[in-house]
């Protein structure tokens, strides 16, 4: 055999060996992967980010990936930013996201963009979830309240604000404040009216003119109109603002961490979070699978609430939380009694015009 032929022969043997080795390694990898992983695309889920997202990843996203082999890709976005992008993606054959965060009014206002949930095909709805968790085109995820929070270095015990009226009282409770941006337009209007003396059970239909006038009065003292819940935590923790409207779960996470923050449930509009699957979700089967997966495993729900304090829809998880701890939760009867129950239908029907008015006010 010539040297040239011998070289080709050795090269052929090496190529054959490499192909055989690659095939063996591929077979080994496939054998050790979950059976459902093959051919499945990642699942993209939008939430508010921060500690909430971290707790979701730990207790639900990662276990879901382990069980199914489907990677979960989290995306952080505020509600206003999220829905603006959803509307922009509505005409696309496939959106960039699969599951988004929704509030009850979105089940009406965003109905054209949301997929119907086949709740009868989700065994954990009947087996694990509380009543009415499935809302047709959205599933109950978490709930708490939009509470009044303050920095305890600025307002120690005995001198703290107790109501939204105090939030507007800049003489007796001085300092920079924070409210959410126009994406939270309904909460802004509700707390403004409560601060102006409207009883919580007489809020609806909202007196929009009166609420906007009240917001105009506090606007010069709002130094941050926060866009994400994570941002709201950072500014109250750092002392950048002395008072803020925040989600109860975010505040309680700070309290548990020993940060100088306190809050009251008084006048807190209910803050209900839902999972919603986009109608043009690129991985709709995985999205539906995740929603059903999320409702199960009470131990995971109880553990999640220890990392991020909120209520969840698994009905058995409540039994795993101590009575003492439940006194701090939004579902405690004393706390429920002082919260605001929004009229979600009214909010949905009036969102287009009223939200624009709030946006115009904040833009001036």
């Amino acid at each position: 055999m010539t040297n040239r032929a011998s070289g080709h022969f050795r090269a052929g043997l090496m190529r054959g060996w490499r192909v055989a080795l690659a095939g063996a390694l591929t077979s080994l990898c496939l054998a050790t992967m979950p059976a459902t992983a093959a051919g499945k695309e990642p699942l993209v889920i939008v939430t508010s980010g921060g500690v909430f997202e971290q707790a979701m990843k730990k207790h639900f996203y990662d276990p879901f990936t382990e069980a199914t082999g489907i990677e979960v890709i989290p995306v952080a976005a505020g509600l206003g930013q999220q829905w603006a992008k959803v509307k922009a993606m509505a005409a696309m054959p496939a959106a960039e996201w699969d599951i988004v965060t929704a509030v009850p009014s979105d089940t009406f206002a965003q109905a054209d963009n949301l997929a119907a949930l086949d709740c009868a095909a989700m065994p954990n709805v009947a087996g694990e979830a509380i009543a009415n968790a499935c809302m047709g085109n959205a599933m109950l995820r978490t709930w708490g309240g939009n509470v009044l929070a303050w920095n305890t270095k600025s307002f120690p015990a005995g001198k703290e604000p107790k109501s939204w009226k105090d939030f507007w009282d800049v003489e007796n409770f001085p300092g920079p404040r924070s409210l959410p941006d126009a994406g939270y337009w309904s909460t802004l209007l509700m707390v403004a009216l409560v601060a102006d003396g409207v009883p919580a059970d007489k809020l609806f239909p909202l007196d929009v003119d009166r609420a906007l006038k009240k917001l105009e009065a506090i606007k010069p003292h709002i130094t941050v109109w926060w866009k994400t819940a994570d941002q709201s935590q950072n500014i109250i923790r750092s002392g950048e603002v002395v008072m803020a409207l925040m989600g109860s779960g975010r505040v309680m996470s700070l309290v548990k961490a020993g940060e100088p923050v306190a809050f009251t449930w008084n006048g807190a509009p209910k803050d209900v979070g839902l999972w919603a699957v986009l109608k043009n979700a690129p991985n709709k089967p995985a999205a539906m699978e995740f929603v059903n997966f999320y409702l199960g495993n009470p131990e995971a729900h109880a553990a999640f609430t220890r990392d991020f304090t909120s209520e969840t829809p698994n009905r058995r998880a409540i039994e795993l939380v101590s009575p003492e701890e439940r006194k701090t939760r939004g579902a405690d009867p004393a706390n429920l009694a002082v919260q605001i129950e929004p009229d979600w239908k009214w909010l949905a029907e009036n969102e287009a015009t009223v939200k624009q008015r709030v946006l115009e006010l904040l833009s001036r």
Side-chain angles (χ1 to χ4, degrees):
M1 181 180 295
T2 65
N3 289 338
R4 183 180 180 89
S6 177
H8 283 303
F9 177 74
R10 287 195 297 271
L13 284 177
M14 291 298 293
R15 283 195 297 271
W17 179 81
R18 285 195 294 268
V19 169
L21 178 60
L25 289 174
T26 299
S27 298
L28 177 61
C29 291
L30 288 173
T32 57
M33 287 176 66
T36 55
K40 288 198 174 181
E41 296 297 321
L43 180 66
V44 182
I45 301 179
V46 184
T47 69
S48 55
V51 294
F52 178 85
E53 184 179 283
Q54 293 166 18
M56 276 288 164
K57 182 179 187 301
K58 176 181 177 182
H59 299 292
F60 299 105
Y61 297 171
D62 288 351
F64 177 73
T65 298
E66 184 177 352
T68 66
I70 301 170
E71 180 187 6
V72 174
I73 300 177
V75 173
L79 283 177
Q81 177 189 9
Q82 171 192 273
W83 290 122
K85 186 162 184 177
V86 166
K87 290 177 181 178
M89 294 187 297
M92 298 168 58
E96 296 176 17
W97 302 333
D98 296 293
I99 297 175
V100 296
T101 294
V103 297
S105 58
D106 293 327
T107 63
F108 302 98
Q110 301 293 336
D112 291 343
N113 298 316
L114 305 180
L117 302 182
D118 186 357
C119 297
M122 297 181 183
N124 285 339
V125 172
E128 299 284 351
I130 62 174
N132 302 316
C134 187
M135 301 181 183
N137 59 3
M139 186 71 70
L140 184 61
R141 185 197 69 189
T142 49
W143 79 93
N146 287 308
V147 301
L148 167 58
W150 59 89
N151 189 295
T152 55
K153 292 181 179 179
S154 300
F155 304 111
K159 297 182 180 180
E160 73 276 10
K162 295 180 172 62
S163 68
W164 292 112
K165 182 179 179 180
D166 293 340
F167 185 92
W168 260 258
D169 186 352
V170 295
E171 292 185 6
N172 292 311
F173 300 93
R177 283 127 156 89
S178 179
L179 288 171
D181 68 5
Y184 297 79
W185 64 274
S186 60
T187 296
L188 291 173
L189 296 180
M190 284 185 278
V191 299
L193 289 172
V194 169
D196 206 37
V198 180
D201 60 348
K202 304 293 184 184
L203 283 174
F204 289 89
L206 296 179
D207 186 335
V208 178
D209 290 337
R210 181 175 176 179
L212 291 176
K213 183 178 180 181
K214 194 68 174 176
L215 280 175
E216 186 75 62
I218 197 63
K219 187 181 173 185
H221 306 280
I222 305 300
T223 57
V224 179
W225 297 91
W226 56 262
K227 298 182 182 299
T228 67
D230 195 41
Q231 182 187 11
S232 73
Q233 279 188 304
N234 293 335
I235 58 177
I236 194 75
R237 173 174 47 203
S238 67
E240 182 179 348
V241 299
V242 299
M243 235 184 283
L245 184 153
M246 295 179 60
S248 56
R250 295 286 179 158
V251 182
M252 296 185 77
S253 294
L254 293 178
V255 172
K256 283 186 176 182
E259 299 290 349
V261 179
F263 73 102
T264 177
W265 285 100
N266 186 28
K270 272 192 176 177
D271 182 16
V272 177
L274 309 172
W275 291 127
V277 178
L278 293 182
K279 188 173 290 185
N280 60 342
N283 199 358
K284 194 177 296 182
M288 299 297 181
E289 189 174 356
F290 174 81
V291 171
N292 178 66
F293 176 90
Y294 174 75
L295 295 172
N297 195 344
E299 290 79 12
H301 284 262
F304 170 81
T305 62
R306 284 191 285 270
D307 287 348
F308 189 88
T309 307
S310 65
E311 303 299 327
T312 66
N314 185 290
R315 63 171 177 260
R316 294 193 292 148
I318 294 174
E319 302 168 4
L320 304 177
V321 178
S322 70
E324 292 76 17
E325 186 179 354
R326 284 198 59 77
K327 290 179 182 178
T328 66
R329 301 286 187 86
D332 178 79
N335 296 331
L336 274 174
V338 295
Q339 292 175 51
I340 297 171
E341 184 69 49
D343 183 336
W344 303 111
K345 191 171 187 295
W346 188 95
L347 294 176
E349 291 173 346
N350 293 274
E351 178 175 19
T353 56
V354 179
K355 181 179 179 180
Q356 183 59 34
R357 294 187 65 187
V358 174
L359 183 61
E360 290 171 358
L361 171 66
L362 302 191
S363 300
R364 291 202 295 268

